[in-house]
Amino acid sequence: MIPKLLKTVILLCLILTLLISNTLAEGNITDISISSITSSPTEIVLVAGASNTVTMEITISNDGEDVEGSNTNFIFEALSISSSSDYETRTTGSDIMGTVNLDAATNLGADLSNGSTLVIATVVVTFTLPESQAECDAQTHLCVVVSPGSGATYEETEIENNDLCIPYDVSGSAKKFCRYVDLLVEDFSVVDPDTIVYGMGIGKLISLNVTIENNGTDSIDDASGTANYEFNVYVIAGDEFEERTGELKFPTVITEVDNIDAGITEDGGSELFTGITTTVIIAGPNETCEDYSKLCVQVVRGTGAVFYERREDNNVLCKDFGTEMTQVGQKSCNRNEIDLHVSGLTVTTTDEFFPLDEAVAIDIAANVTNIGQVNLPSSSGEHNFVIKKYLTNSGVLNSNTHTIEITDVNIEGVQLQQDIAVGDVISFDESDLNVTIPTNQCDSVTHLCVQVTLDDSVSDLYVDPNPNNNYICKEFGPQSDNKIGTVPCNVDIRVSSFTVDDTNTVSYDAGQSRDITVNIQLANSGTDHLPVFDNQDNFVVSLLVTDNGQVESSTDDGMQQTLNTNALQLNQGIDAGASIDFNDVTGSVTISTDICFTVNHLCVQVTKPTNVPYRDVDQTNNDKCIQFGSENDLAGQKSCTDADSEKMSASVVVTFLNLPAVRWSEKTSIFRKAVSDAVNEYCNGNFEECCPDKGSKTANENISTPKDVTLTQLPEQVGNNLRIVSAVTFNPDNPLCSSGTDARRRRSFPELISTLIKRDTDVTLYLSVDVLTDAIIAKESDIEQAMGYTMSSVIQARNETQTGASDGSEFSPEPWLIIVMVVCATLIVAVISAMIYLALPARKRNPAFYIYQ
């Protein structure tokens, strides 16, 4: 019984062992397929009878079990097939197999898990379609097939999906051309070859006529504006182009070739192309130059052309250089060096100065020495030399960064035809050349340079090996320093001194004209001399009153005063670093009452007239200001009338801690802007308070500008603190109030009275004192930051405690005065009521009449 059972167990073990070993031998069962193919170039082009190579990028996918990496998991084959449908149903006898090169392919041994894809790049495939048109026409698809590689550990279950075929289609990604184009150069010639000499190391521009032929079986269609052809020119060493031992390649210019888009018929059709140009340079040294024996022309398919060539090894035609003139010209390997050295430049002008933007006539002369190896003979027709003149920013012509060519030419042709033997010196001169230095480039003009070069007519056989000595430059500057002349480019006019006579007795009453006498000194702080120009003043001198020690920072308009400049010599020049004085100049100053409290300086300003030909390089120092005051170095005392009661009622008193009065002049414009900004921000947030009866705000706008912030009284120093009394003038038509939804609504007379919006043009309106106070308090920290000082108090002027009593007590009116004030007020109310009543129409005595805004 036991032996029988044992036999059964042994048999079962054997069966199990066989099953396991069989499974291990089979490996994974998977399903590999090709998902896509891309190529480089992007279009696969196959031309019948030609070897066509394409680099593919193949994406494969796995719908079966995972594939583990190995040495070679995948291999590929490529073929062209004849089939009306697909790879499996093709006629196998007509397959054209391609050669697949996987030497550079990537990922051939990579993993490929179920459901994923893998890119195999750099698969190089080479095809040659049959030259027979019938056999070529029969081909329908280009196919690629993937199979397990020699090191694969998997088996394929479905090989029917291992291929991907691309149909041949002239508009698709795989194109097949069973009829082909075959271009060759039938003939070419160089225009005027008897005048062409290719010198060693010297560029020579040539023009070519080229005839090309189409020996293919397909015609070339007209391209309608697209170049069907391109050309290259070669100079080669060797007897045959394909076996050349050296080459120089020169691209051509075909923009002037009218028929470059022309078509050519098949089987020997031809076309002549003229106007092809290029520049040929034969390299040195001499032994290398001698090796180059042929000039060759190659035709290639144009970049945008739609045809394809079967072969390109027959697209070149070569012709010999000869010792005698040939169809391509003569080659010379002799290096004829003419080394021109320029020296002795002189520049003569009628004036010492070069006004900007104006033509100045000059005469120039220079010497030229031949320090080369050969003589240059004279020329009876063409010129031997070219002379050019430049304005530059450097005395080294070849390294300057800014160059203006002087295009005026005034030289006799015979000077340019001179011969020059080795060691000889010849001279050149030109007269009445017009030189103009533009203002916007005068900073970059420091030198005038003259350059002498060989003319193109002799550059075929002669070369100047050292271009660094064929020019000479001369610097602009004072002629006393042996320079050309001064360019007034870096002139800096400034007011160096300004004083007022008798300042201890001079006073300015608001609204009154005051005659004064001033002394002014102007200086030139620039590096260039300011010359005297004929019939032109060099300066405009002005007298002004300002609210700032710098005129350009002043915010008030209408500050021009009267200065008697008729007796001044304003056409004077000033040397660099020198100055001129205008003493005892009379003038008059009138300070209007509306700006009297605001202005704090008397200034003199000098400016350059618009059309005067010099440049003032720094215009920030063109003014000088002195403060009003009675001390000797000030401008005289200023006296402003007391403010009216309405302005005082609209004023706010702001006190700054530890602000010296002497610093107020520099703080004036800062204070006015800070208060204006505070009012604008406050009113944009409190529209109805600032613009009553204007409805709702529709946009963020300004209600005031710094010019609207006026001083009611002169700033007062109280101990270490400065007391400022100011108000803000109010324009009812300001941008903020005008943006309200009811800006054009008619309003009753009482409403206008209550908001102080008056239409009397003789009355100055002021912003509500409550609005001004609230705005300053709301932006107190911003104002302090702008001023650089802390505010100790903000008080409405009408509420400020009076300090006139000697005991320091508040002002207290007598009882009888109170009675008088009450009676007067009652009478005023009665009179106003009667006037309103009488002003109404008789039929309707309604006191609430309207005024349109």
Side-chain angles (χ1 to χ4, degrees), residues 235-238 245 285-294 331 333:
V235 173
I236 67 167
T245 58
N286 184 273
E287 57 271 18
T288 306
C289 174
E290 294 290 352
D291 290 339
Y292 293 112
S293 58
K294 296 179 182 293
K331 180 189 70 170
C333 293

Side-chain angles (χ1 to χ4, degrees), residues 239-444:
D239 293 331
E240 300 293 337
F241 185 80
E242 295 299 329
E243 299 175 1
R244 61 194 181 276
T245 58
E247 70 171 43
L248 302 171
K249 181 179 179 180
F250 309 100
T252 61
V253 178
I254 56 174
T255 53
E256 301 300 320
V257 181
D258 295 334
N259 59 334
I260 198 66
D261 58 352
I264 305 178
T265 57
E266 69 276 18
D267 297 328
S270 63
E271 183 79 13
L272 171 65
F273 300 92
T274 61
I276 303 167
T277 60
T278 189
T279 298
V280 176
I281 304 175
I282 298 180
N286 184 273
E287 57 271 18
T288 306
C289 174
E290 294 290 352
D291 290 339
Y292 293 112
S293 58
K294 296 179 182 293
L295 183 77
C296 306
V297 174
Q298 178 188 51
V299 60
V300 295
R301 171 180 171 268
T303 304
V306 297
F307 65 86
Y308 293 89
E309 274 214 86
R310 174 185 172 186
R311 53 182 294 194
E312 296 181 352
D313 57 347
N314 60 348
N315 291 24
V316 180
L317 180 64
C318 297
K319 293 188 177 183
D320 289 331
F321 293 118
T323 54
E324 302 297 330
M325 296 300 178
T326 68
Q327 283 188 297
V328 299
Q330 183 178 358
K331 180 189 70 170
S332 172
C333 293
N334 295 323
R335 189 173 179 86
N336 297 324
E337 294 185 352
I338 305 289
D339 190 354
L340 302 177
H341 176 71
V342 184
S343 61
L345 174 64
T346 61
V347 180
T348 307
T349 66
T350 56
D351 198 346
E352 185 178 350
F353 304 103
F354 286 77
L356 302 179
D357 301 318
E358 292 186 3
V360 176
I362 66 171
D363 300 337
I364 65 170
N367 299 323
V368 178
T369 306
N370 179 6
I371 58 176
Q373 300 177 357
V374 296
N375 301 329
L376 178 66
S378 61
S379 172
S380 58
E382 301 289 339
H383 292 163
N384 278 339
F385 308 100
V386 175
I387 298 180
K388 293 187 177 182
K389 292 81 60 180
Y390 301 96
L391 300 175
T392 73
N393 66 340
S394 167
V396 181
L397 183 61
N398 297 333
S399 64
N400 62 71
T401 57
H402 190 86
T403 301
I404 304 172
E405 184 174 356
I406 302 172
T407 56
D408 201 13
V409 177
N410 191 11
I411 188 171
E412 295 180 357
V414 65
Q415 294 190 63
L416 302 177
Q417 297 171 343
Q418 299 179 77
D419 67 303
I420 182 167
V422 175
D424 278 1
V425 179
I426 60 175
S427 298
F428 297 97
D429 61 81
E430 284 191 77
S431 301
D432 294 326
L433 294 175
N434 288 320
V435 176
T436 302
I437 301 176
T439 298
N440 62 349
Q441 300 182 60
C442 70
D443 262 340
S444 300

Side-chain angles (χ1 to χ4, degrees), residues 182-193:
D182 185 12
L183 294 177
L184 57 86
V185 178
E186 181 180 334
D187 193 16
F188 77 88
S189 63
V190 174
V191 177
D192 297 328

Side-chain angles (χ1 to χ4, degrees), residues 447-517:
H447 290 74
L448 185 149
C449 299
V450 176
Q451 183 184 47
V452 181
T453 59
L454 294 173
D455 190 83
D456 286 345
S457 63
V458 296
S459 62
D460 292 338
L461 296 176
Y462 299 95
V463 62
D464 188 343
N466 184 14
N468 294 322
N469 64 354
N470 64 356
Y471 68 89
I472 187 170
C473 299
K474 193 165 186 177
E475 188 176 5
F476 285 97
Q479 292 181 353
S480 58
D481 295 339
N482 196 31
K483 298 180 179 179
I484 299 175
T486 300
V487 179
C489 180
N490 292 297
V491 175
D492 181 14
I493 301 302
R494 66 181 180 91
V495 180
S496 54
S497 177
F498 170 49
T499 61
V500 180
D501 289 348
D502 303 321
T503 56
N504 56 341
T505 61
V506 172
S507 64
Y508 309 89
D509 295 325
Q512 302 297 317
S513 176
R514 172 69 190 196
D515 293 336
I516 61 172
T517 301

